[in-house]
Amino acid sequence: MNIKRVCVLYFSPTGGTEKIAHLVAENLSEKLNIECTFFDITQPKNRYNEYHFSEDDLVVMASPVYAGRLPNKLVPEYKAKIWGEGTPAVPICVFGNRSPDESLRELMILMEDNGFSIVGAAAFAGRHAFSDQIGAKRPDENDLDEIAAFTSKVVQKLTDNRKMFLKIDHSELGAYYTPLKEDGTPAKFLKARPYTDADRCIHCGLCVEKCPLESIDINTMETVGLCIKCQACVRCCPTHAKYFDDTDFLSHVAMLEKNYKRRAKNIMII
Ligand SMILES: Cc1cc2nc3c(=O)[nH]c(=O)nc-3n(C[C@H](O)[C@H](O)[C@H](O)COP(=O)(O)O)c2cc1C
Ligand code: SF4
Ligand code: SF4
């Protein structure tokens, strides 16, 4: 293998996936002593064009986990826009301390179908977009050590040049995770969207700029299009004007805060 650059692509509405994607890619580029190129596909304008990679690239692709799978509204774009040509790749999923469930296998299959050869894959825990109490302070020192060990093994495989690629299980993927309320019954918040406190909003337009689906009206600051509950608008608002008041959504967040404070383990396949 003659890898000439490390390329990292990520979709990251609230920055957790971006942070881990950078750590993995920078570790790899340092160890391989080659340049690292970043492609942030969070904003729609960066998802208009296709991305094509060659066999001289090493591609790290990172996605957040939504309902135990890849974000379903993004999957068609991942499938249509990101192409390899026997390109070695490292799929990374970032989950909010509950579980990555089937997301990592979904990303491995998607990338293999699109012309990539999977060297190693990992799901790392990060802060949950819904609450600062879940996955707080991840990635921590332990995670940094695990990322360093994982990337060393990837580099070792690339330099050894043997038994390089993983054999991916292509069997049918499990269902999306059903979010639960505090009482253990399903939380139904598909139609929930954030509202704007008019007394707090200073019309800075940041939420409009950050929404990965361009769903926020620039005049009213209200969500008028599809909402994937990513929390980008809530977290970027400088005056905390954005809020969700959907009772099922809030009950799900309370359930997560009650049951998922323990430190979830990372998953590394190499
Ligand atoms: C709609 C939605 C669904 C999520 N579902 C899960 C899940 O099933 N398991 C989990 O551990 N974390 C889940 N999370 C948490 C995210 O995977 C985690 O916060 C991730 O770091 C968000 O990425 P970002 O910071 O790059 O936006 C979910 C977050 C959102 C917004
Ligand atoms: S409106 Fe919905 S999709 Fe857009 S940033 Fe806010 S939470 Fe995300
Ligand atoms: S980010 Fe907050 S303050 Fe700025 S326009 Fe949006 S809601 Fe208003």
Side-chain angles (χ1 to χ4, degrees), residues 11 13 64-72 103 176-177 228-231:
F11 174 78
V65 176
Y66 286 3
R69 297 274 298 269
L70 299 177
N72 66 344
S103 56
Y176 287 88
Y177 161 74
I228 54 172
K229 273 58 91 177
C230 72
Q231 311 298 311

Side-chain angles (χ1 to χ4, degrees), residues 46-252:
N46 295 336
R47 301 195 302 269
Y48 293 152
N49 297 325
E50 293 185 7
Y51 293 86
H52 288 262
F53 299 97
S54 78
E55 57 183 6
D56 294 340
D57 295 320
L58 171 64
V59 171
V60 175
M61 176 164 171
S63 173
V65 176
Y66 286 3
R69 297 274 298 269
L70 299 177
N72 66 344
K73 298 292 179 254
L74 270 301
V75 166
E77 300 209 52
Y78 291 170
K79 281 187 177 165
K81 304 284 166 67
I82 299 158
W83 299 99
E85 225 174 278
T87 309
V90 181
I92 301 289
C93 285
V94 178
F95 67 103
N97 206 52
R98 187 191 64 77
S99 169
D101 295 331
E102 283 280 67
S103 56
L104 187 57
R105 197 162 68 85
E106 186 177 13
L107 187 55
M108 288 195 278
I109 293 172
L110 188 155
M111 293 192 79
E112 195 172 68
D113 287 349
N114 276 19
F116 294 92
S117 301
I118 313 302
V119 185
F124 292 109
R127 176 199 65 190
H128 202 298
F130 291 168
S131 167
D132 285 348
Q133 296 178 40
I134 315 162
K137 301 200 178 81
R138 302 290 296 271
D140 56 21
E141 285 299 316
N142 253 323
D143 294 316
L144 299 188
D145 289 347
E146 289 193 356
I147 289 171
F150 171 70
T151 52
S152 290
K153 286 184 190 157
V154 170
V155 169
Q156 186 70 55
K157 263 180 129 180
L158 289 167
T159 42
D160 277 1
N161 230 349
R162 68 190 149 87
K163 272 209 217 150
M164 176 116 65
F165 303 121
L166 297 178
K167 196 167 164 6
I168 315 295
D169 169 8
H170 278 254
S171 59
E172 201 179 329
L173 290 162
Y176 287 88
Y177 161 74
T178 303
L180 300 175
K181 293 192 279 192
E182 276 183 288
D183 65 5
T185 60
K188 295 179 181 156
F189 54 84
L190 258 183
K191 295 212 169 115
R193 61 190 170 96
Y195 292 100
T196 310
D197 181 339
D199 293 337
R200 285 176 178 247
C201 177
I202 54 169
H203 299 272
C204 66
L206 213 55
C207 55
V208 178
E209 197 185 302
K210 293 277 181 191
C211 176
L213 297 188
E214 289 177 327
S215 290
I216 303 177
D217 184 290
I218 195 155
N219 299 307
T220 62
M221 305 305 165
E222 293 302 340
T223 301
V224 289
L226 200 68
C227 175
I228 54 172
K229 273 58 91 177
C230 72
Q231 311 298 311
C233 58
V234 175
R235 288 192 174 272
C236 78
C237 177
T239 61
H240 307 287
K242 289 280 183 197
Y243 64 96
F244 277 81
D245 67 359
D246 183 280
T247 50
D248 275 33
F249 175 77
L250 296 177
S251 181
H252 176 57

